[in-house]
Short mmCIF file of all heavy atoms in Angstrom, two decimals:
data_model
loop_
_atom_site.label_atom_id
_atom_site.label_comp_id
_atom_site.label_asym_id
_atom_site.label_seq_id
_atom_site.Cartn_x
_atom_site.Cartn_y
_atom_site.Cartn_z
N PRO U 1160 25.95 -9.06 -2.42
CA PRO U 1160 25.18 -8.09 -1.62
C PRO U 1160 23.81 -8.65 -1.27
O PRO U 1160 23.26 -9.50 -1.97
CB PRO U 1160 25.05 -6.90 -2.57
CG PRO U 1160 25.15 -7.47 -3.93
CD PRO U 1160 26.09 -8.65 -3.80
N GLU U 1161 23.26 -8.12 -0.16
CA GLU U 1161 21.90 -8.50 0.23
C GLU U 1161 20.93 -7.85 -0.75
O GLU U 1161 21.03 -6.66 -1.07
CB GLU U 1161 21.60 -8.00 1.63
CG GLU U 1161 20.25 -8.42 2.12
CD GLU U 1161 19.98 -7.97 3.54
OE1 GLU U 1161 20.95 -7.76 4.30
OE2 GLU U 1161 18.81 -7.80 3.87
N ILE U 1162 20.01 -8.63 -1.26
CA ILE U 1162 19.03 -8.13 -2.22
C ILE U 1162 17.90 -7.45 -1.44
O ILE U 1162 17.29 -8.07 -0.57
CB ILE U 1162 18.49 -9.26 -3.11
CG1 ILE U 1162 19.66 -9.85 -3.91
CG2 ILE U 1162 17.39 -8.75 -4.02
CD1 ILE U 1162 19.30 -11.10 -4.67
N PRO U 1163 17.63 -6.18 -1.73
CA PRO U 1163 16.59 -5.46 -0.97
C PRO U 1163 15.19 -5.93 -1.34
O PRO U 1163 14.98 -6.52 -2.41
CB PRO U 1163 16.80 -4.00 -1.37
CG PRO U 1163 17.42 -4.07 -2.71
CD PRO U 1163 18.25 -5.34 -2.73
N LEU U 1164 14.25 -5.67 -0.45
CA LEU U 1164 12.86 -5.96 -0.74
C LEU U 1164 12.36 -5.02 -1.83
O LEU U 1164 12.81 -3.87 -1.94
CB LEU U 1164 12.01 -5.74 0.51
CG LEU U 1164 12.27 -6.68 1.68
CD1 LEU U 1164 11.44 -6.26 2.89
CD2 LEU U 1164 11.96 -8.11 1.30
N VAL U 1165 11.42 -5.49 -2.61
CA VAL U 1165 10.78 -4.66 -3.62
C VAL U 1165 9.78 -3.76 -2.91
O VAL U 1165 8.99 -4.23 -2.08
CB VAL U 1165 10.07 -5.54 -4.67
CG1 VAL U 1165 9.28 -4.68 -5.65
CG2 VAL U 1165 11.07 -6.41 -5.40
N PRO U 1166 9.79 -2.46 -3.17
CA PRO U 1166 8.82 -1.58 -2.51
C PRO U 1166 7.38 -1.97 -2.84
O PRO U 1166 7.10 -2.43 -3.95
CB PRO U 1166 9.13 -0.19 -3.10
CG PRO U 1166 10.52 -0.29 -3.61
CD PRO U 1166 10.69 -1.72 -4.05
N ALA U 1167 6.51 -1.80 -1.88
CA ALA U 1167 5.08 -1.99 -2.13
C ALA U 1167 4.57 -0.70 -2.78
O ALA U 1167 4.93 0.39 -2.36
CB ALA U 1167 4.35 -2.27 -0.82
N HIS U 1168 3.74 -0.84 -3.81
CA HIS U 1168 3.29 0.32 -4.57
C HIS U 1168 1.81 0.17 -4.89
O HIS U 1168 1.39 -0.89 -5.36
CB HIS U 1168 4.11 0.42 -5.86
CG HIS U 1168 3.73 1.57 -6.71
ND1 HIS U 1168 3.00 1.43 -7.86
CD2 HIS U 1168 3.97 2.89 -6.58
CE1 HIS U 1168 2.82 2.62 -8.41
NE2 HIS U 1168 3.38 3.52 -7.65
N TRP U 1169 1.04 1.23 -4.62
CA TRP U 1169 -0.37 1.21 -4.91
C TRP U 1169 -0.77 2.53 -5.55
O TRP U 1169 -0.18 3.56 -5.30
CB TRP U 1169 -1.21 1.07 -3.63
CG TRP U 1169 -0.92 -0.13 -2.82
CD1 TRP U 1169 -1.47 -1.38 -2.95
CD2 TRP U 1169 -0.01 -0.22 -1.72
NE1 TRP U 1169 -0.96 -2.21 -2.00
CE2 TRP U 1169 -0.06 -1.53 -1.22
CE3 TRP U 1169 0.85 0.69 -1.09
CZ2 TRP U 1169 0.70 -1.96 -0.14
CZ3 TRP U 1169 1.61 0.27 -0.03
CH2 TRP U 1169 1.53 -1.04 0.44
N ARG U 1170 -1.83 2.47 -6.35
CA ARG U 1170 -2.49 3.66 -6.87
C ARG U 1170 -3.95 3.59 -6.45
O ARG U 1170 -4.58 2.55 -6.58
CB ARG U 1170 -2.39 3.71 -8.40
CG ARG U 1170 -1.02 4.04 -8.88
CD ARG U 1170 -1.02 4.27 -10.39
NE ARG U 1170 0.30 4.66 -10.81
CZ ARG U 1170 1.14 3.89 -11.47
NH1 ARG U 1170 0.78 2.66 -11.80
NH2 ARG U 1170 2.32 4.33 -11.82
N PHE U 1171 -4.43 4.71 -5.94
CA PHE U 1171 -5.81 4.77 -5.46
C PHE U 1171 -6.52 5.95 -6.11
O PHE U 1171 -5.90 6.99 -6.37
CB PHE U 1171 -5.85 4.98 -3.94
CG PHE U 1171 -5.29 3.84 -3.15
CD1 PHE U 1171 -4.02 3.92 -2.62
CD2 PHE U 1171 -6.04 2.70 -2.92
CE1 PHE U 1171 -3.49 2.88 -1.88
CE2 PHE U 1171 -5.52 1.65 -2.19
CZ PHE U 1171 -4.25 1.74 -1.66
N PRO U 1172 -7.84 5.83 -6.33
CA PRO U 1172 -8.59 6.99 -6.81
C PRO U 1172 -8.48 8.12 -5.78
O PRO U 1172 -8.44 7.87 -4.58
CB PRO U 1172 -10.03 6.48 -6.89
CG PRO U 1172 -9.92 4.99 -6.95
CD PRO U 1172 -8.68 4.63 -6.19
N ALA U 1173 -8.42 9.34 -6.26
CA ALA U 1173 -8.33 10.50 -5.38
C ALA U 1173 -9.71 10.76 -4.78
O ALA U 1173 -10.41 11.71 -5.12
CB ALA U 1173 -7.82 11.72 -6.14
N HIS U 1174 -10.10 9.86 -3.88
CA HIS U 1174 -11.42 9.90 -3.25
C HIS U 1174 -11.26 9.50 -1.78
O HIS U 1174 -10.45 8.61 -1.47
CB HIS U 1174 -12.35 8.93 -3.97
CG HIS U 1174 -13.75 9.01 -3.49
ND1 HIS U 1174 -14.20 8.32 -2.38
CD2 HIS U 1174 -14.80 9.71 -3.95
CE1 HIS U 1174 -15.47 8.58 -2.19
NE2 HIS U 1174 -15.87 9.43 -3.12
N PRO U 1175 -12.01 10.13 -0.87
CA PRO U 1175 -11.87 9.81 0.56
C PRO U 1175 -11.99 8.32 0.90
O PRO U 1175 -11.36 7.85 1.84
CB PRO U 1175 -12.98 10.62 1.22
CG PRO U 1175 -13.18 11.78 0.30
CD PRO U 1175 -12.96 11.24 -1.09
N ALA U 1176 -12.77 7.56 0.14
CA ALA U 1176 -12.91 6.13 0.42
C ALA U 1176 -11.59 5.37 0.25
O ALA U 1176 -11.42 4.29 0.81
CB ALA U 1176 -13.98 5.52 -0.49
N SER U 1177 -10.66 5.95 -0.46
CA SER U 1177 -9.36 5.29 -0.68
C SER U 1177 -8.50 5.27 0.58
O SER U 1177 -7.59 4.44 0.69
CB SER U 1177 -8.60 6.01 -1.80
OG SER U 1177 -9.28 5.86 -3.02
N VAL U 1178 -8.75 6.16 1.52
CA VAL U 1178 -7.92 6.24 2.73
C VAL U 1178 -7.99 4.94 3.51
O VAL U 1178 -6.97 4.39 3.93
CB VAL U 1178 -8.29 7.46 3.60
CG1 VAL U 1178 -7.50 7.48 4.89
CG2 VAL U 1178 -8.07 8.75 2.81
N ARG U 1179 -9.18 4.42 3.70
CA ARG U 1179 -9.34 3.15 4.42
C ARG U 1179 -8.63 2.01 3.70
O ARG U 1179 -7.95 1.19 4.32
CB ARG U 1179 -10.83 2.84 4.58
CG ARG U 1179 -11.10 1.56 5.33
CD ARG U 1179 -12.63 1.39 5.55
NE ARG U 1179 -12.91 0.10 6.09
CZ ARG U 1179 -13.23 -0.98 5.36
NH1 ARG U 1179 -13.30 -0.88 4.04
NH2 ARG U 1179 -13.47 -2.13 5.93
N ARG U 1180 -8.79 1.95 2.39
CA ARG U 1180 -8.13 0.90 1.60
C ARG U 1180 -6.61 1.01 1.72
O ARG U 1180 -5.91 0.00 1.82
CB ARG U 1180 -8.56 0.99 0.14
CG ARG U 1180 -10.01 0.60 -0.06
CD ARG U 1180 -10.48 0.73 -1.51
NE ARG U 1180 -9.56 0.16 -2.45
CZ ARG U 1180 -9.24 0.72 -3.62
NH1 ARG U 1180 -9.79 1.87 -3.99
NH2 ARG U 1180 -8.39 0.13 -4.43
N ALA U 1181 -6.10 2.22 1.72
CA ALA U 1181 -4.65 2.43 1.81
C ALA U 1181 -4.12 1.99 3.18
O ALA U 1181 -3.07 1.34 3.27
CB ALA U 1181 -4.31 3.89 1.56
N ARG U 1182 -4.83 2.34 4.24
CA ARG U 1182 -4.42 1.91 5.58
C ARG U 1182 -4.34 0.40 5.66
O ARG U 1182 -3.38 -0.17 6.19
CB ARG U 1182 -5.40 2.43 6.65
CG ARG U 1182 -5.26 3.88 6.97
CD ARG U 1182 -6.03 4.25 8.23
NE ARG U 1182 -7.37 3.72 8.29
CZ ARG U 1182 -8.49 4.42 8.05
NH1 ARG U 1182 -8.41 5.70 7.72
NH2 ARG U 1182 -9.66 3.86 8.12
N HIS U 1183 -5.35 -0.26 5.14
CA HIS U 1183 -5.38 -1.73 5.15
C HIS U 1183 -4.21 -2.30 4.34
O HIS U 1183 -3.54 -3.24 4.78
CB HIS U 1183 -6.71 -2.23 4.60
CG HIS U 1183 -6.83 -3.71 4.60
ND1 HIS U 1183 -7.03 -4.44 5.74
CD2 HIS U 1183 -6.75 -4.60 3.58
CE1 HIS U 1183 -7.07 -5.73 5.43
NE2 HIS U 1183 -6.91 -5.84 4.12
N ALA U 1184 -3.96 -1.74 3.17
CA ALA U 1184 -2.86 -2.22 2.32
C ALA U 1184 -1.52 -2.09 3.03
O ALA U 1184 -0.68 -3.01 2.99
CB ALA U 1184 -2.85 -1.45 1.00
N VAL U 1185 -1.29 -0.97 3.67
CA VAL U 1185 -0.03 -0.74 4.38
C VAL U 1185 0.12 -1.73 5.53
O VAL U 1185 1.17 -2.36 5.70
CB VAL U 1185 0.07 0.72 4.88
CG1 VAL U 1185 1.17 0.90 5.91
CG2 VAL U 1185 0.30 1.65 3.69
N THR U 1186 -0.92 -1.89 6.32
CA THR U 1186 -0.86 -2.83 7.44
C THR U 1186 -0.56 -4.24 6.96
O THR U 1186 0.29 -4.94 7.53
CB THR U 1186 -2.18 -2.82 8.24
OG1 THR U 1186 -2.40 -1.50 8.72
CG2 THR U 1186 -2.15 -3.78 9.40
N GLU U 1187 -1.25 -4.67 5.93
CA GLU U 1187 -1.05 -6.02 5.41
C GLU U 1187 0.33 -6.24 4.81
O GLU U 1187 0.82 -7.37 4.78
CB GLU U 1187 -2.13 -6.36 4.38
CG GLU U 1187 -3.51 -6.53 4.99
CD GLU U 1187 -3.55 -7.64 6.03
OE1 GLU U 1187 -3.10 -8.76 5.75
OE2 GLU U 1187 -4.04 -7.36 7.15
N SER U 1188 0.97 -5.19 4.34
CA SER U 1188 2.28 -5.35 3.71
C SER U 1188 3.43 -5.37 4.73
O SER U 1188 4.54 -5.79 4.40
CB SER U 1188 2.53 -4.26 2.67
OG SER U 1188 2.73 -3.03 3.31
N LEU U 1189 3.17 -4.95 5.96
CA LEU U 1189 4.21 -4.97 6.99
C LEU U 1189 4.49 -6.40 7.43
O LEU U 1189 3.56 -7.19 7.60
CB LEU U 1189 3.77 -4.19 8.23
CG LEU U 1189 4.01 -2.71 8.26
CD1 LEU U 1189 3.44 -2.14 9.56
CD2 LEU U 1189 5.46 -2.37 8.13
#
């Protein structure tokens, strides 16, 4: 079988500043 990719996983502080970091992380992982 084809081996699937490992999901990207992050934890961020529950703070508005984390939104920018999360967007960047998602874009870079694509």
Side-chain angles (χ1 to χ4, degrees):
E1161 183 178 335
I1162 298 172
L1164 294 175
V1165 174
H1168 180 254
W1169 303 272
R1170 287 188 177 106
F1171 295 101
H1174 186 275
S1177 295
V1178 176
R1179 181 175 172 267
R1180 291 178 47 221
R1182 284 193 314 258
H1183 181 74
V1185 165
T1186 300
E1187 290 301 309
S1188 71
L1189 274 177

